[in-house]
Amino acid sequence: MSSTVVTLITLILGLFLGLALGLWISRIKSGANGGNTSTISQELNDVKVLLKASDDRLKAAEAKSENETKIATQMEEMKTTVERMRLQAQEASEKRIASEVQLVGTIDEMRKASTTFFDETKKIAGALASSQTRGKFGEAQLELLLEQAGLREGHEYVAQRSTTDSDSSGIPDITVAMPGGSKLFIDSKFPFDRFLEAFGTEEQEQRDELLLLHTKDLLKHVDALAKRGYHKSQNSPDFVVLFLPFETLLAESLRLDPLLLEKAFKVGVTLATPTSMMALLRTVGHIFTRNKLAENADDITKVAATFLKNVTLLHTKIVAVGKAINQTSKAYEDLIPTAEKTVLAPARRINKLGVAGDKDKLAIEYPESPADVRALNNPDLDSIDLDAPDDFIDVEVVEE
C-alpha cells in the first residue's frame, strides 16, 4: 500500500473522530443543561472504544503498508535477478548453439578425412595385393631408411633393380658394403595377402585364423630366403635381414607365435621392422664414420709430420739469415770509421776550399748500424735431424 492511501485513510479516520468528538461535546453541553449523566458516561466509553479501534486500524494499516513495501522491494530485486538470469541463459544458449555448429563442422571434416583416409587405405591395400608392388614398396621404404641413416647408394650400399621374376630369386634387394670388405644382405619382399584379409573381417576368431595363416606364410618366406644362401657368401655375417615395412606384420605374428624370431634365427634370417632396421642401419653408418675418421687420422698424421719437417727447415734458414745479418752489421760498423776518415773528411775540406760539389749531401751523417738480430732458439726443433742442404728450403708438397 502506498503512502498516499495511508494518508487518505488517516484523514478519513480523523474526520470521523472529529465528528464523534463534536457530537460528544454537544451532548455533554446538552446534559449539562438537564441531561442524563449515565448516558453521557456511556457515550464517552463508546468514543474511547471507537478511538481505540481507530488507532488499531491505523497501526494495522501502517504495518500492512510496510509489509507491502518490503514485498514490492523484494519483487523488484527478484525481477532484476530473473532478468540477469534470463540474459545469462540467453548468452549460454548462443554459445551452445555456436559450439554445436562448430562441433558439427568438425565432425563433418573428420568424416570427410576418414572417408579420404579409408579410400587411400583401400588404394594402398589394392596396390600391395601384387607381390611386385609389395617388393617395390619395401625397397622404397628401405632406401628411405638407408638415406636417413647417412648411407649413400653406390658408396655404402647397392640397390638391385634389374630383376625380372616376381620374387627376385638369388638377387638381394640391398647389399651394404661394410668396412673391412664384409657385406650385409637385405631382402624387402614380404607376404601380405592373409594379413590384408585378416583385417578385412570384424570377427576376432576369424581374424586370428587368418593371422595364423599369415604367420605360416611368413615362415615359408623365411625358409625360402634362407635357402638362397646370401649369408653363406664370403665376408658376410651369418644372417640375412628380412625387412617388414609395417610393425604390425611382425607384432601380430609374434602374438600368435612367440617363437617366430627364434625359428628365423635358426635358419640365418633376422626379421626387422622400420624401428629395428633404423637402429641397425644407424649402427652401420656409425661404423663407416668411425672408419673414415681412422683413415683421416692416418692422413692427418702424415701431413702433420711433413709440416713439422718443413717448419724445422724454415727455422734453420731463418737462423742462418739472422747470423748473416749480424755479420753484415758488424762489417758495416767497421766500414763507417774508415769511410769518415779516408773519404768524408777530405771531401768536406776540398769543398770548403772552393771546389764545386754538393755541400748538403756531404753534410749527411752515416746512419747507425742495426742492432743484433735475436737468435731463434727452440730445443724441440733443434733436436730433429735434418738432411736438407743449407742453401735452400726443401719443402715437401703433400698431395690431397
Side-chain angles (χ1 to χ4, degrees):
M1 185 181 293
S2 63
S3 59
T4 305
V5 176
V6 175
T7 303
L8 181 60
I9 294 173
T10 305
L11 291 175
I12 294 172
L13 292 175
L15 180 60
F16 279 110
L17 289 175
L19 292 174
L21 288 174
L23 292 174
W24 178 66
I25 292 171
S26 63
R27 288 185 179 183
I28 290 177
K29 290 181 178 180
S30 299
N33 296 324
N36 189 353
T37 305
S38 60
T39 302
I40 294 172
S41 177
Q42 182 63 37
E43 291 178 353
L44 183 60
N45 289 331
D46 294 338
V47 172
K48 290 180 178 180
V49 172
L50 181 60
L51 289 174
K52 187 175 184 304
S54 299
D55 186 57
D56 292 339
R57 290 179 179 177
L58 181 61
K59 290 181 179 180
E62 291 178 352
K64 185 177 181 181
S65 177
E66 292 178 358
N67 291 333
E68 290 180 351
T69 302
K70 290 181 180 179
I71 292 173
T73 304
Q74 293 176 354
M75 290 296 292
E76 188 67 26
E77 293 177 355
M78 184 178 296
K79 181 180 178 181
T80 303
T81 303
V82 170
E83 180 65 19
R84 184 171 62 252
M85 292 178 64
R86 186 187 67 80
L87 294 176
Q88 292 177 353
Q90 182 179 357
E91 183 178 358
S93 178
E94 292 175 355
K95 291 182 178 179
R96 178 181 58 79
I97 294 173
S99 300
E100 289 179 354
V101 172
Q102 184 177 3
L103 181 61
V104 169
T106 304
I107 293 175
D108 186 62
E109 292 178 359
M110 292 178 62
R111 181 186 59 79
K112 293 180 181 178
S114 178
T115 302
T116 303
F117 179 75
F118 180 74
D119 293 340
E120 294 298 327
T121 303
K122 289 180 63 178
K123 292 179 181 178
I124 294 175
L128 294 178
S130 171
S131 60
Q132 293 182 352
T133 305
R134 288 199 300 269
K136 293 180 180 179
F137 176 78
E139 289 180 8
Q141 188 170 3
L142 182 55
E143 290 182 12
L144 180 61
L145 294 176
L146 288 164
E147 181 181 353
Q148 292 177 350
L151 304 181
R152 300 165 297 170
E153 183 177 3
H155 295 270
E156 290 82 16
Y157 75 93
V158 177
Q160 179 63 41
R161 301 181 185 276
S162 58
T163 59
T164 55
D165 52 349
S166 60
D167 60 352
S168 302
S169 178
I171 303 175
D173 295 322
I174 299 294
T175 302
V176 180
M178 302 284 288
S182 61
K183 296 181 180 180
L184 178 65
F185 300 105
I186 305 175
D187 187 82
S188 61
K189 293 172 287 296
F190 57 97
F192 191 69
D193 294 336
R194 303 298 184 185
F195 184 84
L196 183 61
E197 293 177 7
F199 284 91
T201 179
E202 298 295 335
E203 297 181 3
Q204 186 62 38
E205 184 177 355
Q206 184 179 1
R207 177 179 297 178
D208 288 342
E209 292 178 357
L210 292 172
L211 288 175
L212 186 59
L213 294 176
H214 162 72
T215 304
K216 292 180 179 179
D217 291 342
L218 187 58
L219 283 174
K220 291 180 181 178
H221 187 74
V222 167
D223 292 335
L225 183 61
K227 292 179 181 179
R228 296 175 188 175
Y230 296 147
H231 57 289
K232 297 179 182 179
S233 62
Q234 187 178 3
N235 295 328
S236 174
D238 59 350
F239 64 90
V240 61
V241 180
L242 173 57
F243 175 62
L244 303 176
F246 304 116
E247 300 285 344
T248 51
L249 285 172
L250 180 59
E252 292 295 332
S253 297
L254 287 175
R255 182 174 63 85
L256 298 175
D257 187 0
L259 299 178
L260 176 63
L261 293 178
E262 184 178 352
K263 293 177 181 178
F265 289 157
K266 287 182 178 180
V267 295
V269 178
T270 298
L271 300 177
T273 60
T275 302
S276 56
M277 178 60 72
M278 176 56 73
L280 175 62
L281 294 179
R282 283 187 177 273
T283 302
V284 174
H286 178 72
I287 294 174
F288 274 109
T289 302
R290 299 299 298 178
N291 186 68
K292 186 64 176 178
L293 289 176
E295 293 177 357
N296 291 340
D298 293 338
D299 294 339
I300 292 173
T301 301
K302 294 178 182 179
V303 174
T306 303
F307 176 74
L308 182 60
K309 180 179 178 181
N310 292 336
V311 169
T312 305
L313 290 173
L314 179 62
H315 169 74
T316 57
K317 301 308 177 184
I318 292 175
V319 171
V321 172
K323 291 179 180 180
I325 292 175
N326 287 335
Q327 291 176 358
T328 303
S329 176
K330 184 177 180 181
Y332 176 75
E333 290 180 352
D334 295 339
L335 177 63
I336 288 177
T338 302
E340 289 180 345
K341 182 178 180 181
T342 60
V343 177
L344 186 58
R348 288 173 178 174
R349 285 200 303 272
I350 292 172
N351 184 263
K352 289 180 180 180
L353 292 176
V355 179
D358 194 341
K359 181 178 179 181
D360 294 334
K361 291 184 178 180
L362 291 175
I364 298 175
E365 299 291 339
Y366 291 118
E368 296 183 359
S369 62
D372 293 342
V373 178
R374 181 174 63 86
L376 296 177
N377 297 321
N378 192 328
D380 295 335
L381 296 178
D382 293 339
S383 63
I384 298 177
D385 185 16
L386 300 175
D387 297 330
D390 294 338
D391 55 345
F392 67 93
I393 299 177
D394 184 10
V395 178
E396 180 178 349
V397 179
V398 180
E399 297 182 356
E400 296 183 357

